[in-house]
Amino acid sequence: MVVTRSAEMPRRQFLAAAGFTAATAWLAPRALFAQSDDVLVPGAFKEASTAKVTVQTLRRNISVLLGAGGNIAVLTGPDGKLLVDAEIVTSRPNVSAALASINPDPVKQLINTHWHFDHTGGNDWLHEAGANILAHENTRKHLSKDTRVEGWKHTFPAAPAGAIPSTVFTDEHTLNANGSTLVLKHYAPAHTDSDISVHFTEADILHTGDTFWNRDYPFIDYSTGGSIDGHIRAAEANLAKVTEKTLVIPGHGAVGGKADLVLFLDVLVEIRDKVAALKKQGRSLEEIVAAKPGARFDAEWGNLFMTPSAFIALVYQGV
Ligand SMILES: [Zn+2]
């Protein structure tokens, strides 16, 4: 079955139609402790192979590609295309078509916001097509060897040589391309230990990577340095970077702005505090999941990679 997502089709409906939610729906409270099925990552590969990739024009010469994996920012101009993130590897045909629909220029520069497969999946083919890859040093570290993500029950093999970023930095990096100044900043460990933000200064567009999910519960990768408290600190850091005029590209979800960052921070803090209080009272994870600490957000926020119970389990792990 080929299912493509249109603007008229809500994401949850699309994911259900694509069979993708089957990959996460097993996370019923009873299964939280025992499940060992490596299903989410294979499910994402399958979904991305058919998912539509749409192009949204933002400001100046900057657009965003919205598909099944992480959102891709595209900066065009005489230097060739610059991309922030590279989607899931199986989305290559649809990402290629979306890029070609903007203009025929080659991709010359790729920046990874962090090491995860739904943001670096295109590294190898984009490098082969002529792109230099730039990332935080921990992205190179995780891609260079077999890396297990317990939260996904999946071990990623070391990436091929072409997919490894050739240029890395530690804290901050600035580059100029196509008349834009890009400021890259590393976050303290948040979603992973490799997260960076990319600010297109003149256009005032901020790509946050997966430190911000717009109206979706975030995955938190404890296996490579992430934590709920780190995620909250990064959400606070994002708020400090923006004004009312800033356009914010999340790792997942629609392009938003400052108000969406405020909401994301509020949701994380409220659920973290409720889960922490219940855990302190000695309640088990099963009991806390059953208490539905995110009840007022679950219908909207628990529909992408993370079911409400899976998100509560990740918060519980860190409080
Ligand atoms: Zn991620």
Side-chain angles (χ1 to χ4, degrees), residues 160-180:
I164 308 293
S166 56
T167 310
V168 295
F169 67 97
T170 305
D171 297 319
E172 185 168 333
H173 186 88
T174 302
L175 75 152
N176 295 287
N178 295 321
S180 288

Side-chain angles (χ1 to χ4, degrees), residues 114 116 118-119 152 191-192 195 210 213 219 252:
H114 62 297
H116 279 159
D118 51 330
H119 300 257
W152 290 333
H191 169 74
T192 67
D195 307 308
D210 278 358
W213 299 46
F219 177 65
H252 300 274

Side-chain angles (χ1 to χ4, degrees), residues 29-41:
R30 199 175 301 280
L32 283 171
F33 317 94
Q35 75 83 19
S36 61
D37 292 347
D38 176 4
V39 291
L40 190 139
V41 173

